[in-house]
Amino acid sequence: MKKYYNFVILIICLLIPPLFSAEIPVFLEDAEGEISVILKVIDSQGNDDIDILVKHRDISKQEKHKLIIEKMKKRTLDKQQAILDEIKHNLEYVSEYKSFWISNVVYLRGDAGFIRYISSRDDVENVFKNLPLMLVMPVDSAIATDFKTGSEPGLDVIGVKTAWEMGLTGEGSIVCNFDTGVDGNHPALLPSWRGSNGASVSESWFDPYTNTDFPVDSHGHGTHTMGTMVGLDGGDTIGVAFGAQWISAAVVDRGGGVQRTIADILSAFQWAADPDGDPSTSDDMPDVINNSWGVPTGYLGACDMTFWEAIDNVEALGIVCLFAAGNEGPFSSTIRTPADRITTQFNSFAVGAINSQTLEIASFSSRGPSGCDSVTIKPEIVAPGVGIRSCDNGGGYISMSGTSMATPHVAGAVAILRQFNPQANPDQIKAALLTGAVDVGPPGEDNNYGYGVLNILKSLYNMPPPDHPLIHTVSVSVIDGENGKADPGETISFGLTMENLGSVSNIYAGLTSLLSGAEVIEGSADLGEIGHLDTVSTMAFEVHISEDLTVGQQIPFALEFFSGDWSQLY
């Protein structure tokens, strides 16, 4: 009798859920066979200790990265340990599981009865079905010209060319997309892949499904979005930040019926937070993640919180997260989740699409207000998203339309703003994007255009200044006393007006001719101390034009600015 009694007590302990158990969601109540879920673990500690580190100015980016990730890992392990022990003790009911630290969740696939049991624990806050995620599919596409000289028309309306003239091409920044993959062999993309620049494959390419060791894209969508961020092929400029490098996570619709899920996106966030798996390094981490995926209204419900913690944690590390608003317009309240989030002014940062020719909102672009409260205005900003020519699989080019085409323009802008000031945090960068946007449509912020059209030059004016000067040449004029042109046989002066977008500094300038026959007579100038956003003008440069040069011939010059160890070449 005694053995029987002990056996009964054991069965009761296994079957009776703990007191104060979590509510079992409807989808799980009658589930049978094998299912896949995400367990959200209760965490009452909050993020105060991480917030303190984020705001700490006396810690280097590298040290901050290490300390924050260590705190994330310790906290989640402490909170998840009992659940993980339970899973390990019942592996016969489990097909697959994974503990996350980027968000305090556990992915679990296994027997529905066991998952019901473990979901009833009092340390489980919520249970989410591990649903497939939906690509923000283009509304149309067409084969485009294979190669052309110059830059794409959409780049003309976002103020990027003046930034290029200042040397701001995204150099030193890393962009990342969570998409269908990337054709790593595309001539406009291969040179800027991190894996082509000395980094390991594992820190440059994340493929949890096929585990390829080189970027591939069976769909083509991710190749297109990456092209708009960084694409450059000789004289064919497709990308906003063609000086940046890229990494990619192939975690959205892989084509051929391969659907990726919530767990894959969480895995991608965790990878992007520390691509090389070494928290003590931070130069492998992207500056921006372009998200051309989302869940349409009606699937998870408005304001779904599944991804919030992961987004907050990668942004705490310094990564800017951007989301395509969706292609469910022109109806109101059609912003996808998590793009509909309104926890702060900047979370989540949603991007709509305009026609770059007319600056009108695209009919397909999802509109606000946010479904979270049916009041807060969305999206945050708009960018060109109609007929955007970019990279296609196999080395060609294709034109696509969608908010997925608009968002990479903003991601490229982030790479440029981060090059301008590497110390700027995500909120400062997002604030500069908003305040620099050009208002279109009804005056003020609205549910079609948000704050307006992306303008990179104006956003630079609203960034915190870097710790060095950065000169914007406002105007250049030729002074010759006659027709304002450099004619053969003349000696001319340059009239320059310059503005300092960086820190206060004593600045010197030097002019060099790049053409024989144009002799620089006076090529240096002491511009004095120029403050942040101060303007200075000078006519210090003199050049003699040889009589051997012909009328209409272009004369290239290099203008370089100096201040201490800093220099900038025009």
Side-chain angles (χ1 to χ4, degrees):
M1 289 293 292
K2 188 174 181 180
K3 288 185 178 179
Y4 179 77
Y5 178 75
N6 285 341
F7 182 73
V8 171
I9 292 297
L10 176 62
I11 295 297
I12 291 174
C13 289
L14 285 175
L15 296 182
I16 295 178
L19 295 176
F20 312 110
S21 60
E23 182 178 348
I24 302 298
V26 174
F27 81 87
L28 188 53
E29 287 180 350
D30 301 318
E32 295 181 357
E34 187 174 84
I35 61 172
S36 175
V37 300
I38 305 291
L39 305 175
K40 178 69 175 73
V41 182
I42 287 177
D43 184 358
S44 58
Q45 185 175 344
N47 279 336
D48 290 348
D49 54 344
I50 291 177
D51 291 342
I52 290 171
L53 282 173
V54 169
K55 297 173 183 176
H56 205 306
R57 297 183 178 180
D58 297 328
I59 302 177
S60 68
K61 177 183 176 182
Q62 183 170 315
E63 181 65 14
K64 190 177 290 188
H65 183 262
K66 177 176 179 290
L67 292 173
I68 290 176
I69 287 182
E70 286 176 348
K71 284 185 176 293
M72 289 178 186
K73 288 183 175 179
K74 183 180 185 305
R75 173 184 298 174
T76 52
L77 181 60
D78 289 346
K79 301 298 180 182
Q80 296 173 16
Q81 191 61 64
I83 294 173
L84 295 174
D85 288 344
E86 188 86 67
I87 291 172
K88 291 173 185 176
H89 291 150
N90 293 275
L91 289 177
E92 66 268 30
Y93 304 113
V94 176
S95 300
E96 187 178 16
Y97 74 95
K98 180 178 181 178
S99 167
F100 287 91
W101 52 262
I102 197 64
S103 182
N104 192 14
V105 300
V106 175
Y107 158 66
L108 179 61
R109 179 161 61 89
D111 176 73
F114 174 69
I115 290 178
R116 266 193 298 275
Y117 160 70
I118 203 167
S119 299
S120 68
R121 293 177 55 95
D122 58 357
D123 49 0
V124 174
E125 182 177 348
N126 283 307
V127 185
F128 305 105
K129 194 173 183 180
N130 188 33
L131 292 169
L133 293 170
M134 300 181 69
L135 186 68
V136 182
M137 288 290 294
V139 296
D140 59 56
S141 62
I143 300 299
T145 306
D146 272 358
F147 184 88
K148 71 175 198 175
T149 300
S151 58
E152 287 305 298
L155 303 179
D156 292 334
V157 303
I158 62 173
V160 70
K161 292 188 175 179
T162 304
W164 294 344
E165 291 171 359
M166 290 187 279
L168 298 174
T169 63
E171 184 176 354
S173 298
I174 301 173
V175 302
C176 177
N177 66 352
F178 289 179
D179 215 306
T180 61
V182 177
D183 176 4
N185 280 314
H186 198 290
L189 298 175
L190 177 59
S192 55
W193 179 48
R194 285 271 296 166
S196 298
N197 291 274
S200 67
V201 171
S202 61
E203 65 185 281
S204 309
W205 169 243
F206 182 67
D207 179 2
Y209 178 67
T210 56
N211 297 304
T212 53
D213 59 3
F214 188 81
V216 295
D217 184 4
S218 59
H219 190 287
H221 188 276
T223 300
H224 193 279
T225 61
M226 190 59 75
T228 300
M229 285 188 267
V230 299
L232 178 66
D233 184 6
D236 192 356
T237 305
I238 300 160
V240 175
F242 54 80
Q245 294 182 13
W246 63 269
I247 63 177
S248 177
V251 289
V252 188
D253 187 357
R254 299 294 303 279
V258 180
Q259 293 289 335
R260 307 315 299 155
T261 65
I262 291 171
D264 295 305
I265 291 290
L266 293 174
S267 294
F269 276 123
Q270 188 158 291
W271 170 75
D274 191 19
D276 68 353
D278 181 0
S280 65
T281 63
S282 59
D283 58 354
D284 55 315
M285 187 176 63
D287 294 281
V288 60
I289 298 173
N290 184 85
N291 294 278
S292 291
W293 58 270
V295 183
T297 56
Y299 283 82
L300 287 178
C303 222
D304 179 80
M305 300 170 61
T306 305
F307 303 100
W308 289 10
E309 186 178 8
I311 294 168
D312 288 345
N313 282 339
V314 295
E315 293 208 324
L317 290 165
I319 303 170
V320 177
C321 288
L322 305 173
F323 290 87
N327 295 339
E328 284 72 48
F331 305 106
S332 62
S333 299
T334 49
I335 303 289
R336 290 193 176 195
T337 188
D340 62 351
R341 184 183 181 189
I342 55 171
T343 309
T344 71
Q345 184 181 12
F346 309 117
N347 269 331
S348 292
F349 199 95
V351 180
I354 59 161
N355 185 317
S356 60
Q357 309 261 327
T358 64
L359 301 187
E360 292 181 353
I361 191 72
S363 61
F364 56 78
S365 187
S366 289
R367 318 298 168 95
S370 166
C372 292
D373 64 357
S374 300
V375 174
T376 302
I377 293 175
K378 282 279 181 174
E380 272 62 51
I381 202 170
V382 292
V386 177
I388 303 301
R389 175 180 172 271
S390 187
C391 303
D392 192 17
N393 274 346
Y397 296 87
I398 191 169
S399 175
M400 293 184 179
S401 299
T403 55
S404 286
M405 287 62 253
T407 312
H409 287 84
V410 185
V414 171
I416 287 174
L417 297 182
R418 185 54 69 73
Q419 179 191 1
F420 172 75
N421 185 351
Q423 306 307 316
N425 65 44
D427 279 0
Q428 289 171 325
I429 290 173
K430 291 177 185 179
L433 290 170
L434 295 183
T435 53
V438 176
D439 190 24
V440 291
E445 186 187 11
D446 63 77
N447 284 308
N448 290 338
Y449 300 91
Y451 278 80
V453 178
L454 168 68
N455 189 286
I456 296 174
L457 177 61
K458 291 181 180 295
S459 295
L460 287 169
Y461 282 89
N462 292 282
M463 283 282 287
D467 58 5
H468 57 74
L470 196 137
I471 301 300
H472 169 214
T473 301
V474 179
S475 63
V476 180
S477 58
V478 174
I479 312 297
D480 70 341
E482 296 182 10
N483 58 4
K485 296 180 180 180
D487 293 321
E490 281 190 327
T491 297
I492 62 168
S493 298
F494 280 118
L496 297 178
T497 300
M498 296 150 288
E499 188 174 22
N500 180 17
L501 301 185
S503 59
V504 179
S505 298
N506 284 302
I507 301 174
Y508 301 85
L511 183 72
T512 304
S513 171
L514 302 179
L515 179 69
S516 176
E519 180 187 0
V520 176
I521 300 171
E522 181 56 58
S524 62
D526 181 351
L527 303 178
E529 184 173 278
I530 308 179
H532 176 56
L533 298 185
D534 282 352
T535 301
V536 63
S537 296
T538 184
M539 290 189 297
F541 306 109
E542 285 191 0
V543 178
H544 179 72
I545 308 300
S546 170
E547 293 181 352
D548 295 334
L549 298 182
T550 59
V551 175
Q553 186 173 0
Q554 289 190 340
I555 306 174
F557 292 92
L559 180 62
E560 191 165 12
F561 299 98
F562 305 89
S563 181
D565 295 333
W566 167 87
S567 67
Q568 175 187 340
L569 182 65
Y570 262 89

